[in-house]
């Protein structure tokens, strides 16, 4: 049973560029959440998708957007990259009614130069 | 002030020791309390999940929640070098998003 898979594992971009990160949830899960983890910090909630709609959003600007597809996979898009966007981006999946039990992928390490 | 406070460590203990990890929080609406373990360059892994106050035990791990003091703990008995990782507490009001502590780095010396 595959867990949460994320791609790519590492990414290097320059300021002002745009990036797309991808996530496939654990089998049987229908809800996908995205978190940003800066070095030495805990993950910060970006947003959550369920039934292809954004259900909740954390304190992140509109430069951060997402999408969920009919097969429950998800994308995170970040526009106009800033140096401060450098972080580990984590995707987590859960099932309806058990949303606090998150299963995380290994993340995408984004470096903005 | 952060909603969830956690001592960053590092905490270094000898193999076989009992480890105590703690978090305090300020939001009385938190109802769900979790502990995650994160190895270097990996995503967090759910260790313990507790709803409301009380204790929960799973093998060498015991989680305690004291809502009156807004204080949660994770105890690790007979610690092993493989327990060396960063431990993150996390909490939720039940409205989907988790709020994490900054993590405590634990080193278990053989």
């Amino acid at each position: 049973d595959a867990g949460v898979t994320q791609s790519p594992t590492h990414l290097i971009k320059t300021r002002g560029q745009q990036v797309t990160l991808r996530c496939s949830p654990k089998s049987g899960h229908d809800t996908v959440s995205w978190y940003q983890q800066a070095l030495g910090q805990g993950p910060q909630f970006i947003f959550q998708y369920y039934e292809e709609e954004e259900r909740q959003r954390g304190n992140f600007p509109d430069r951060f957007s997402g999408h969920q597809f009919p097969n429950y996979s998800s994308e995170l898009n970040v526009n106009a990259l800033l140096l401060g966007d450098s972080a580990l981006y984590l995707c987590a999946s859960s099932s309806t009614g058990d949303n606090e039990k998150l299963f995380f992928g290994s993340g995408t390490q984004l470096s903005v130069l | 002030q952060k909603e969830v406070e956690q001592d960053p460590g590092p905490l270094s203990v000898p193999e076989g020791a009992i480890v105590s990890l703690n978090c305090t929080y300020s939001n009385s609406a938190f109802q769900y309390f979790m502990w995650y373990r994160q190895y270097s360059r990996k995503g967090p892994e759910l260790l313990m999940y507790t709803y409301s106050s009380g204790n929960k035990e799973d093998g060498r791990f015991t989680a305690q929640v004291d809502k009156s003091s807004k204080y949660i703990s994770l105890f690790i008995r007979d610690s092993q070098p493989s327990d060396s990782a960063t431990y993150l507490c996390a909490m939720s009001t039940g409205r989907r998003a988790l709020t994490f502590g900054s993590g405590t780095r634990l080193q278990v010396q053989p």
Side-chain angles (χ1 to χ4, degrees):
Chain A
D1 176 28
V4 179
T5 59
Q6 292 187 242
S7 64
T9 54
H10 296 85
L11 206 50
I12 299 175
K13 292 287 187 178
T14 57
R15 280 180 300 172
Q17 286 189 312
Q18 178 263 345
V19 68
T20 298
L21 310 181
R22 296 177 174 82
C23 172
S24 292
K26 180 178 169 64
S27 178
H29 286 181
D30 55 9
T31 303
V32 173
S33 302
W34 288 91
Y35 285 78
Q36 179 195 66
Q37 187 176 24
L39 191 64
Q41 299 297 316
Q44 297 279 321
F45 175 71
I46 302 175
F47 42 54
Q48 184 186 72
Y49 277 84
Y50 171 66
E51 292 186 330
E52 302 179 51
E53 290 189 13
E54 184 183 295
R55 297 293 176 169
Q56 193 179 12
R57 188 179 185 93
N59 189 25
F60 280 80
D62 291 345
R63 298 187 297 109
F64 290 77
S65 63
H67 190 78
Q68 185 180 33
F69 299 94
N71 67 352
Y72 308 122
S73 67
S74 177
E75 288 181 349
L76 164 66
N77 301 292
V78 187
N79 294 322
L81 284 167
L82 303 174
L83 296 179
D85 294 332
S86 296
L88 180 67
Y89 288 85
L90 294 162
C91 172
S93 70
S94 57
S95 57
T96 309
D98 220 3
N99 283 315
E100 287 71 29
K101 292 184 179 178
L102 297 185
F103 290 80
F104 284 87
S106 291
T108 294
Q109 183 66 54
L110 172 65
S111 299
V112 182
L113 305 179
Chain B
Q1 184 188 4
K2 293 183 179 179
E3 271 192 302
V4 180
E5 298 280 358
Q6 187 175 8
D7 189 328
L11 179 61
S12 184
V13 301
E15 183 175 354
I18 296 175
V19 175
S20 173
L21 304 167
N22 311 294
C23 287
T24 59
Y25 63 94
S26 57
N27 187 349
S28 58
F30 286 140
Q31 295 286 339
Y32 300 86
F33 303 90
M34 282 70 67
W35 285 95
Y36 283 83
R37 178 174 63 195
Q38 186 173 26
Y39 291 113
S40 180
R41 290 184 288 277
K42 294 290 186 183
E45 170 194 13
L46 181 62
L47 276 178
M48 301 291 284
Y49 168 90
T50 310
Y51 172 69
S52 194
S53 285
N55 295 356
K56 185 172 184 178
E57 185 173 324
D58 184 2
R60 295 185 296 114
F61 299 90
T62 299
Q64 290 184 352
V65 176
D66 182 349
K67 290 187 68 180
S68 62
S69 301
K70 296 190 178 66
Y71 187 87
I72 71 170
S73 301
L74 176 70
F75 297 95
I76 307 174
R77 291 182 297 280
D78 187 25
S79 56
Q80 302 295 310
S82 58
D83 294 328
S84 299
T86 296
Y87 289 80
L88 297 155
C89 62
M91 308 176 188
S92 170
T93 62
R95 293 190 64 246
R96 301 190 173 94
L98 298 192
T99 301
F100 283 84
S102 57
T104 299
R105 193 154 57 94
L106 171 66
Q107 297 173 344
V108 181
Q109 307 293 341

